mmCIF file of all heavy atoms in Angstrom:
data_model
loop_
_atom_site.group_PDB
_atom_site.id
_atom_site.type_symbol
_atom_site.label_atom_id
_atom_site.label_comp_id
_atom_site.label_asym_id
_atom_site.label_seq_id
_atom_site.Cartn_x
_atom_site.Cartn_y
_atom_site.Cartn_z
ATOM 1 N N SER A 39 -0.294 9.306 4.966
ATOM 2 C CA SER A 39 -0.300 8.146 5.904
ATOM 3 C C SER A 39 0.313 6.887 5.295
ATOM 4 O O SER A 39 0.587 5.900 5.999
ATOM 5 C CB SER A 39 -1.740 7.927 6.390
ATOM 6 O OG SER A 39 -2.575 7.890 5.307
ATOM 7 N N GLY A 40 0.503 6.884 3.930
ATOM 8 C CA GLY A 40 1.185 5.748 3.345
ATOM 9 C C GLY A 40 0.435 5.019 2.249
ATOM 10 O O GLY A 40 0.775 3.941 1.854
ATOM 11 N N LYS A 41 -0.610 5.654 1.673
ATOM 12 C CA LYS A 41 -1.403 5.011 0.655
ATOM 13 C C LYS A 41 -0.515 4.649 -0.571
ATOM 14 O O LYS A 41 -0.551 3.556 -1.139
ATOM 15 C CB LYS A 41 -2.538 5.935 0.158
ATOM 16 C CG LYS A 41 -3.504 6.242 1.236
ATOM 17 C CD LYS A 41 -4.601 7.237 0.760
ATOM 18 C CE LYS A 41 -4.044 8.664 0.614
ATOM 19 N NZ LYS A 41 -3.589 9.329 1.839
ATOM 20 N N THR A 42 0.211 5.667 -1.058
ATOM 21 C CA THR A 42 1.055 5.431 -2.249
ATOM 22 C C THR A 42 2.136 4.450 -1.983
ATOM 23 O O THR A 42 2.379 3.547 -2.787
ATOM 24 C CB THR A 42 1.626 6.784 -2.715
ATOM 25 O OG1 THR A 42 0.598 7.688 -3.033
ATOM 26 C CG2 THR A 42 2.562 6.607 -3.915
ATOM 27 N N MET A 43 2.776 4.583 -0.775
ATOM 28 C CA MET A 43 3.798 3.591 -0.456
ATOM 29 C C MET A 43 3.243 2.183 -0.419
ATOM 30 O O MET A 43 3.794 1.231 -0.951
ATOM 31 C CB MET A 43 4.435 3.970 0.939
ATOM 32 C CG MET A 43 5.498 3.009 1.466
ATOM 33 S SD MET A 43 4.949 1.502 2.115
ATOM 34 C CE MET A 43 4.081 2.035 3.570
ATOM 35 N N LEU A 44 2.053 2.050 0.207
ATOM 36 C CA LEU A 44 1.442 0.664 0.265
ATOM 37 C C LEU A 44 1.119 0.168 -1.155
ATOM 38 O O LEU A 44 1.303 -0.979 -1.479
ATOM 39 C CB LEU A 44 0.174 0.737 1.068
ATOM 40 C CG LEU A 44 0.297 0.490 2.569
ATOM 41 C CD1 LEU A 44 -1.126 0.540 3.171
ATOM 42 C CD2 LEU A 44 0.922 -0.868 2.870
ATOM 43 N N ALA A 45 0.465 1.041 -1.962
ATOM 44 C CA ALA A 45 0.074 0.599 -3.309
ATOM 45 C C ALA A 45 1.319 0.140 -4.120
ATOM 46 O O ALA A 45 1.275 -0.948 -4.754
ATOM 47 C CB ALA A 45 -0.611 1.747 -4.074
ATOM 48 N N LEU A 46 2.366 0.936 -4.061
ATOM 49 C CA LEU A 46 3.558 0.604 -4.871
ATOM 50 C C LEU A 46 4.279 -0.648 -4.329
ATOM 51 O O LEU A 46 4.696 -1.511 -5.097
ATOM 52 C CB LEU A 46 4.536 1.778 -4.970
ATOM 53 C CG LEU A 46 3.993 3.020 -5.705
ATOM 54 C CD1 LEU A 46 4.964 4.183 -5.530
ATOM 55 C CD2 LEU A 46 3.791 2.683 -7.148
ATOM 56 N N THR A 47 4.414 -0.721 -3.007
ATOM 57 C CA THR A 47 5.152 -1.837 -2.428
ATOM 58 C C THR A 47 4.381 -3.116 -2.562
ATOM 59 O O THR A 47 4.926 -4.188 -2.862
ATOM 60 C CB THR A 47 5.484 -1.497 -0.900
ATOM 61 O OG1 THR A 47 6.023 -0.243 -0.846
ATOM 62 C CG2 THR A 47 6.463 -2.566 -0.417
ATOM 63 N N LEU A 48 3.043 -3.048 -2.381
ATOM 64 C CA LEU A 48 2.197 -4.282 -2.639
ATOM 65 C C LEU A 48 2.337 -4.647 -4.104
ATOM 66 O O LEU A 48 2.394 -5.852 -4.470
ATOM 67 C CB LEU A 48 0.767 -3.975 -2.269
ATOM 68 C CG LEU A 48 0.461 -4.193 -0.768
ATOM 69 C CD1 LEU A 48 -0.949 -3.572 -0.452
ATOM 70 C CD2 LEU A 48 0.502 -5.641 -0.379
ATOM 71 N N ALA A 49 2.247 -3.670 -5.019
ATOM 72 C CA ALA A 49 2.259 -3.979 -6.434
ATOM 73 C C ALA A 49 3.596 -4.681 -6.756
ATOM 74 O O ALA A 49 3.589 -5.683 -7.496
ATOM 75 C CB ALA A 49 2.176 -2.693 -7.264
ATOM 76 N N GLY A 50 4.681 -4.202 -6.218
ATOM 77 C CA GLY A 50 5.973 -4.868 -6.465
ATOM 78 C C GLY A 50 5.997 -6.289 -5.985
ATOM 79 O O GLY A 50 6.516 -7.180 -6.674
ATOM 80 N N ALA A 51 5.352 -6.559 -4.851
ATOM 81 C CA ALA A 51 5.330 -7.953 -4.364
ATOM 82 C C ALA A 51 4.368 -8.785 -5.192
ATOM 83 O O ALA A 51 4.695 -9.904 -5.556
ATOM 84 C CB ALA A 51 4.869 -7.919 -2.898
ATOM 85 N N LEU A 52 3.208 -8.256 -5.501
ATOM 86 C CA LEU A 52 2.161 -9.041 -6.211
ATOM 87 C C LEU A 52 2.522 -9.278 -7.682
ATOM 88 O O LEU A 52 2.085 -10.231 -8.293
ATOM 89 C CB LEU A 52 0.809 -8.299 -6.116
ATOM 90 C CG LEU A 52 0.282 -8.159 -4.680
ATOM 91 C CD1 LEU A 52 -1.021 -7.380 -4.657
ATOM 92 C CD2 LEU A 52 0.064 -9.544 -4.039
ATOM 93 N N ALA A 53 3.419 -8.459 -8.209
ATOM 94 C CA ALA A 53 3.852 -8.634 -9.614
ATOM 95 C C ALA A 53 4.596 -9.981 -9.720
ATOM 96 O O ALA A 53 4.751 -10.505 -10.844
ATOM 97 C CB ALA A 53 4.684 -7.449 -10.075
ATOM 98 N N GLN A 54 5.063 -10.509 -8.643
ATOM 99 C CA GLN A 54 5.710 -11.867 -8.698
ATOM 100 C C GLN A 54 4.645 -12.941 -8.910
ATOM 101 O O GLN A 54 5.009 -14.075 -9.244
ATOM 102 C CB GLN A 54 6.415 -12.157 -7.381
ATOM 103 C CG GLN A 54 7.508 -11.172 -7.045
ATOM 104 C CD GLN A 54 8.048 -11.310 -5.622
ATOM 105 O OE1 GLN A 54 7.888 -12.327 -4.986
ATOM 106 N NE2 GLN A 54 8.613 -10.229 -5.094
ATOM 107 N N HIS A 55 3.356 -12.582 -8.755
ATOM 108 C CA HIS A 55 2.313 -13.598 -8.850
ATOM 109 C C HIS A 55 1.416 -13.412 -10.093
ATOM 110 O O HIS A 55 0.662 -14.254 -10.434
ATOM 111 C CB HIS A 55 1.378 -13.489 -7.607
ATOM 112 C CG HIS A 55 2.143 -13.817 -6.371
ATOM 113 N ND1 HIS A 55 2.097 -15.102 -5.814
ATOM 114 C CD2 HIS A 55 2.829 -13.083 -5.545
ATOM 115 C CE1 HIS A 55 2.811 -15.120 -4.692
ATOM 116 N NE2 HIS A 55 3.245 -13.880 -4.479
#
Side-chain angles (χ1 to χ4, degrees):
S39 47
K41 299 176 287 295
T42 299
M43 180 282 293
L44 271 181
L46 294 172
T47 312
L48 276 168
L52 298 175
Q54 299 166 23
H55 297 266

